[in-house]
Amino acid sequence: MSLPNVITGARILFVPAFVVVYMMPGSWSHPIAALIFSLAAATDWLDGYVARRFNQVTAFGAFLDPVADKIIVVSALLILVASHSSIWLTLPSLIIVGRELVVSALREWMAEMDQSITVAVSYLGKIKTTVQMIAIAILMYLPSDAEGAWIVIGYATLYVAAVMTIWSMSVYLRAAWPTLRNSDPR
């Protein structure tokens, strides 16, 4: 286990921590859950930096890193949707989760076709992940009945992330389209 893989594993372990804290009663639970979530999100940058800086890039790490991102994002969106009970939060959350499923399936299928480089993580995908993490951290920090500028900023940022999600998915699908179109279904 390389250090970046340990950091990624720790990121996954943050998930039950922020979920449990978020669900606890009290005015302190959401800010503490947002802090734990933010630490988990920061490790996404840290594990990549350490892996590149110290030449510890591994196939296992390349697999585990996007899985950890998806676990964190989907878990956080689930608790937010349950807590906020709002169509305005549910719609972008469904778009984001749906995209993650489509792109994960696409990557798996392209790997089977020996074309995984075609759908490798792009710079746009990294920006999309960052915007998602910022939106989720803002929304986690606030009580579900919050009003005012910060809740609007949180929702708006989540909608920007949803648009970027669709955009990045279309980039991946366009890159994979020649293989999808020309492959034998058997």
Side-chain angles (χ1 to χ4, degrees), residues 14-23 33 36-37 40 72 75-76 79 140:
F14 277 120
V15 173
F18 74 68
V19 169
V20 167
V21 170
Y22 187 86
M23 306 290 266
I36 296 168
F37 175 85
I72 288 171
S75 298
I79 63 173
M140 278 186 122

Side-chain angles (χ1 to χ4, degrees), residues 93-121:
S93 298
L94 286 172
I95 290 169
I96 291 167
V97 171
R99 179 266 187 203
E100 297 303 342
L101 293 171
V102 169
V103 171
S104 293
L106 179 65
R107 283 193 179 121
E108 181 180 331
W109 188 79
M110 292 298 284
E112 288 180 21
M113 299 286 119
D114 291 326
Q115 296 289 322
S116 58
I117 194 70
T118 306
V119 287
V121 176

Side-chain angles (χ1 to χ4, degrees), residues 5 7 10 20 56 71 76 107 110 119 129 139 141 171-172 178:
N5 291 344
I7 294 169
V20 167
Q56 294 185 347
I71 291 170
R107 283 193 179 121
M110 292 298 284
V119 287
T129 299
L139 292 168
Y141 182 85
V171 169
Y172 290 132

Side-chain angles (χ1 to χ4, degrees), residues 15-167:
V15 173
F18 74 68
V19 169
V20 167
V21 170
Y22 187 86
M23 306 290 266
M24 294 179 119
S27 61
W28 58 271
S29 64
H30 290 185
I32 299 297
L35 176 64
I36 296 168
F37 175 85
S38 297
L39 290 171
T43 65
D44 184 28
W45 171 83
L46 181 63
D47 65 4
Y49 172 79
V50 171
R52 287 184 300 278
R53 174 78 168 91
F54 298 103
N55 197 27
Q56 294 185 347
V57 176
T58 65
F60 180 67
F63 157 76
L64 189 61
D65 183 64
V67 170
D69 290 345
K70 286 164 185 38
I71 291 170
I72 288 171
V73 168
V74 171
S75 298
L77 288 174
L78 283 172
I79 63 173
L80 286 171
V81 165
S83 173
H84 286 242
S85 261
S86 165
I87 189 69
W88 302 112
L89 185 75
T90 302
L91 287 175
S93 298
L94 286 172
I95 290 169
I96 291 167
V97 171
R99 179 266 187 203
E100 297 303 342
L101 293 171
V102 169
V103 171
S104 293
L106 179 65
R107 283 193 179 121
E108 181 180 331
W109 188 79
M110 292 298 284
E112 288 180 21
M113 299 286 119
D114 291 326
Q115 296 289 322
S116 58
I117 194 70
T118 306
V119 287
V121 176
S122 70
Y123 187 68
L124 175 60
K126 292 176 187 286
I127 294 171
K128 180 256 328 162
T129 299
T130 301
V131 173
Q132 280 178 2
M133 300 293 192
I134 291 168
I136 291 168
I138 291 169
L139 292 168
M140 278 186 122
Y141 182 85
L142 300 169
S144 55
D145 60 351
E147 294 179 1
W150 278 108
I151 196 74
V152 171
I153 290 168
Y155 275 56
T157 307
L158 191 64
Y159 274 86
V160 169
V163 169
M164 292 182 78
T165 291
I166 293 168
W167 182 15

